[in-house]
Amino acid sequence: MKGWVCCLLLFAIHAHGLDNGLARLPPMGYNTWNDFGCSNITAANVRLIADRMVENGMRDAGYEYLNIDDCWATARDKTANNSLVPDPEAFPDGIKALADYVHAKGLKLGIYTDRGKLTCERRPGSKGHEEVDAKIFAEWGIDFVKEDSCYSSTIHKVAFREYARMRDALNRTGRPILFSLCGWREWYAEPGGSLGNMWRVTPDVRDWFGVYRSAEAMARVGHFGGPGGWSDPDMLIGSTPGTLFHLTPAQARSQFSLWAVTGAPLLVGSSMLGMSTHDHFTYTDAEALSVSQDPLGLAGRLILSDCPGVGRGEAPPEGVPQSA
């Protein structure tokens, strides 16, 4: 595949995102999914990650969110207003105690749910329980909510309506909670700023082709982002071995550079506990981060490329169930 040959034009973006005062710049943090998948999602490991983010300087570089992905919940408690129940073995002290620990480290805790009745790993979803879930997230001290799209409708109006329910429920709690909607399609970009603080516009990035496809998508829809809300081309998968997906060192650095210049959220999906020196140097590069976190909210747009087009990433991630 040919390399990128392009020019970047910087332009001012007007604030138009969800008006909750959050995500004035592209959010930065870490997500457990590519690192752990559905295994070993425990309070003990989250504490270790929080410790490491402080020790290795990632927190001080701006990576403030520590986000737990799927597989943390096991059921709903019918005796407690159908509230979500964390895995009692993995989170013996509950989520509130974990949030307190993460906050004491100067970090913010994120959590995962789904707009369908089930999550992608068939754990309880939030459909029909948005108010209950938003309330308990706020009570636990959650700072970031990622809502996925498995087992849910692909009809645009239905999807937008379901995401709006969680948006409104979170706003009604009175707690500032960054809302990340994960719909995997470019058609979320135009209404994204009215629905959340970031919106996924691509399938999962699992390899270099995924990076290339997502970069193309950002060339088309990145301009819908700006202070308060950002188009999201998925996580940074790094080059550290041992995770579900990883790139070569050169590819990982190219991905980070592209994400930084296009105003994408910078959520590390690589290993935090075993991060390579190369990836750590990449993700803490002050010059690249200054481009990403430009106080004016500027983002780059691709105006010239000789790369072959790969088309829009309209398909959901491999193996993801959907309903009509």
Side-chain angles (χ1 to χ4, degrees):
M1 184 180 291
K2 292 183 179 180
W4 284 83
V5 179
C6 60
C7 296
L8 290 167
L9 171 66
L10 292 178
F11 66 100
I13 306 174
H14 297 293
H16 67 281
L18 179 65
D19 189 18
N20 59 7
L22 301 175
R24 306 312 298 172
L25 299 173
M28 296 172 59
Y30 161 87
N31 180 283
T32 62
W33 183 252
N34 289 341
D35 199 358
F36 290 91
C38 203
S39 303
N40 296 317
I41 301 300
T42 67
N45 279 334
V46 173
R47 289 190 178 98
L48 287 174
I49 292 165
D51 294 344
R52 186 60 56 85
M53 291 177 72
V54 175
E55 294 165 1
N56 67 10
M58 293 289 283
R59 180 200 63 184
D60 292 343
Y63 295 88
E64 61 178 340
Y65 290 102
L66 196 175
N67 297 336
I68 302 170
D69 210 276
D70 205 350
C71 301
W72 65 271
T74 57
R76 288 190 178 276
D77 186 349
K78 294 182 180 179
T79 68
N81 201 26
N82 282 314
S83 295
L84 287 164
V85 178
D87 185 326
E89 294 185 6
F91 300 92
D93 299 320
I95 302 297
K96 176 65 167 62
L98 182 59
D100 290 344
Y101 185 92
V102 170
H103 292 157
K105 294 290 181 177
L107 296 164
K108 298 177 180 179
L109 186 66
I111 211 158
Y112 169 99
T113 186
D114 194 288
R115 67 182 174 91
K117 289 187 176 297
L118 297 172
T119 70
C120 297
E121 294 295 323
R122 300 187 64 82
R123 304 302 177 94
S126 286
K127 186 171 184 178
H129 299 280
E130 290 85 359
E131 294 290 339
V132 171
D133 292 353
K135 185 173 183 293
I136 199 71
F137 293 157
E139 290 176 358
W140 287 343
I142 295 298
D143 306 292
F144 182 119
V145 170
K146 172 184 174 181
E147 189 169 50
D148 222 329
S149 287
C150 290
Y151 297 99
S152 57
S153 175
T154 58
I155 298 171
H156 295 202
K157 289 184 179 180
V158 174
F160 300 155
R161 184 168 62 246
E162 290 175 346
Y163 274 125
R165 286 176 187 153
M166 181 58 81
R167 172 203 65 196
D168 294 344
L170 291 171
N171 282 344
R172 278 192 285 271
T173 68
R175 179 176 178 81
I177 299 176
L178 190 152
F179 185 36
S180 169
L181 55 100
C182 185
W184 328 306
R185 293 173 170 86
E186 290 180 31
W187 45 262
Y188 282 99
E190 187 168 358
S194 67
L195 296 172
N197 298 110
M198 49 189 281
W199 45 90
R200 271 281 295 280
V201 294
T202 68
D204 291 358
V205 172
R206 300 180 175 185
D207 51 25
W208 180 244
F209 174 78
V211 172
Y212 181 51
R213 177 179 56 193
S214 291
E216 274 209 326
M218 288 297 282
R220 290 188 290 267
V221 301
H223 65 280
F224 287 107
W230 307 89
S231 292
D232 175 18
D234 199 20
M235 290 177 277
L236 300 162
I237 59 177
S239 64
T240 303
T243 55
L244 294 179
F245 315 106
H246 58 272
L247 303 166
T248 69
Q251 290 170 346
R253 187 158 292 175
S254 295
Q255 184 195 16
F256 178 72
S257 298
L258 285 166
W259 267 227
V261 81
T262 55
L266 301 180
L267 295 181
V268 174
S270 186
S271 173
M272 186 59 67
L273 298 179
M275 184 178 291
S276 69
T277 300
H278 179 277
D279 283 356
H280 182 265
F281 183 85
T282 297
Y283 295 149
T284 57
D285 182 78
E287 187 174 1
L289 289 175
S290 70
V291 173
S292 166
Q293 302 294 295
D294 183 342
L296 297 179
L298 300 176
R301 291 187 68 177
L302 180 69
I303 61 172
L304 177 65
S305 171
D306 68 349
C307 299
V310 295
R312 297 174 184 268
E314 289 299 311
E318 181 181 351
V320 169
Q322 300 243 303
S323 62

